[in-house]
Amino acid sequence: MATAFPGEFAFIEWVKKDQPDNDSMLVGIGDDCAVLAPSSRATLVTTDMLMEGSCFRLAEAGPYRVGRKAMAVNISDIAAMAGTPKTAFVSLGLPQSMSFEDAKELHRGLQSMAGEFGVVIAGGDTNTWDGGLTISVTLLGEVIGRGAVLRNGAKPGDWIFVTGPLGGSILGHHLDFTPRVDFARRLHEQVKLHAMIDISDGLAKDLHRIVTASGVGAELEAINIPITDDARRMSAQNGKTALEHALGDGEDFELAFTVSEEDGKQLLETYPPDRSTLRMIGRIVESGFWLLDGGHRHVLAPVGYEHHFGQSTE
Ligand SMILES: [Mg+2]
């Protein structure tokens, strides 16, 4: 039988026990603050909060996968800047009904995803309450080589790429994805990435953020947008097209980015479609947001997932 949750202090004591180290952490969990060594590179900071009912269902996903996702969504944001993730801070609102074993599993999930990317958990806060499970992760990272890749650098004539197939992540991918840290770093070392974003709210919506930040437009080619089998599966059931799923579903956690045409050609030689998931899906234009489909140019709506205030998530 699961043991009752013994309290925050016992949990923190347990978490402290086998914390790995890294070169940037001088003092980790257990003091009033963590102490981090200064870095010669600029620091990236991101934070993301997951809430039971909105971002996951604990009973379906289980605490281990939820822990992995909470860490992975933050690592994906560091990937979106072509950076290296380093140090995480984890704040938990644990439901009073949660067992000690489930809390440990949650932490093991956070820890396992962190470990795969050399990230250490250097601190955080743990509370119990009578609401659902809430996990907030703050992640620090470092820029590499050419510096952080922002959203505002896309230029007319750029080619637009995505790092993998899109859509239907609700069938499981949203819990089990691998953040594209390594791919982003390799791309960033090879060519000059003009603008980049991780696809958390859907391709159309997230690409529209690049377009808006850069003051440009975009033209996507429907035939070149890579679609997951899960998007096809959902399409067969709900009547939405697989392309609509690829354009509008959230939580793919692939990267969308733009490069010059010349660099784009080079990338297609390095990552040919038969040996890579990288796809060229369109071009940056002066203005507008367009989808080329079957010889027609349609206005593309920046559809996607959005948190709405004052509405039930049920
Ligand atoms: Mg992001």
Side-chain angles (χ1 to χ4, degrees):
M1 212 180 99
T3 27
F5 194 72
E8 292 141 37
F9 296 114
F11 179 66
I12 293 163
E13 280 307 311
W14 176 83
V15 164
K16 254 165 69 177
K17 251 184 240 154
D18 71 336
Q19 275 305 114
D21 245 322
N22 79 3
D23 53 357
S24 59
M25 187 178 72
L26 304 177
V27 177
I29 297 169
D31 214 307
D32 293 299
C33 293
V35 183
L36 305 180
S39 162
S40 58
R41 298 169 181 278
T43 303
L44 301 168
V45 186
T46 183
T47 190
D48 212 319
M49 181 159 68
L50 297 192
M51 303 175 84
E52 189 172 357
S54 171
C55 309
F56 60 89
R57 299 192 187 280
L58 187 58
E60 285 168 31
Y64 183 81
R65 285 169 92 197
V66 169
R68 282 182 62 85
K69 176 176 180 177
M71 186 59 69
V73 296
N74 283 276
I75 293 174
S76 180
D77 276 330
I78 300 285
M81 312 294 275
T84 306
K86 300 288 280 189
T87 314
F89 297 85
V90 178
S91 294
L92 301 174
L94 301 176
Q96 268 146 9
S97 58
M98 197 171 200
S99 70
F100 195 25
E101 202 41 55
D102 277 357
K104 285 177 172 175
E105 275 301 287
L106 176 68
H107 179 75
R108 287 186 188 112
L110 284 154
Q111 185 78 63
S112 74
M113 179 57 71
E116 286 171 25
F117 290 88
V119 170
V120 292
I121 298 173
D125 193 16
T126 302
N127 290 310
T128 56
W129 72 319
D130 58 6
L133 175 60
T134 304
I135 312 168
S136 174
V137 176
T138 299
L139 181 61
L140 309 187
E142 282 180 5
V143 303
I144 62 162
R146 292 184 173 93
V149 182
L150 308 182
R151 295 176 182 181
N152 64 5
K155 298 178 177 69
D158 277 5
W159 284 14
I160 305 166
F161 285 84
V162 290
T163 53
L166 308 172
S169 81
I170 193 76
L171 296 186
H173 179 78
H174 75 111
L175 286 164
D176 298 318
F177 66 95
T178 302
R180 295 298 210 165
V181 174
D182 296 337
F183 207 168
R185 289 170 52 102
R186 286 204 310 272
L187 292 163
H188 194 43
E189 278 157 15
Q190 185 178 348
V191 296
K192 180 162 177 35
L193 304 175
H194 287 173
M196 186 154 66
I197 194 166
D198 65 322
I199 302 172
S200 54
D201 297 331
L203 172 65
K205 186 154 215 150
D206 285 319
L207 190 61
H208 195 258
R209 291 186 167 123
I210 285 184
V211 159
T212 305
S214 302
V216 293
E219 199 173 70
L220 300 185
E221 290 157 23
I223 199 165
N224 291 330
I225 293 171
I227 295 171
T228 61
D229 290 341
D230 280 343
R232 292 181 207 287
R233 232 165 265 143
M234 287 181 76
S235 169
Q237 283 168 12
N238 65 13
K240 259 171 88 171
T241 67
L243 178 66
E244 284 172 322
H245 280 287
L247 286 167
D249 290 357
E251 305 209 308
D252 301 296
F253 297 108
E254 295 294 345
L255 301 173
F257 65 91
T258 83
V259 294
S260 70
E261 179 175 341
E262 195 186 341
D263 283 348
K265 285 177 182 163
Q266 195 195 121
L267 287 181
L268 288 183
E269 277 172 28
T270 312
Y271 301 99
D274 58 333
R275 280 190 282 126
S276 167
T277 56
L278 191 73
R279 294 290 181 274
M280 190 272 202
I281 60 165
R283 287 178 179 77
I284 295 294
V285 295
E286 293 284 345
S287 63
F289 201 51
W290 312 98
L291 181 70
L292 301 177
D293 195 2
H296 297 283
R297 186 161 104 151
H298 308 273
V299 172
L300 181 58
V303 287
Y305 183 77
E306 201 169 329
H307 285 278
H308 290 283
F309 296 100
Q311 282 184 13
S312 163
T313 54
E314 291 306 307

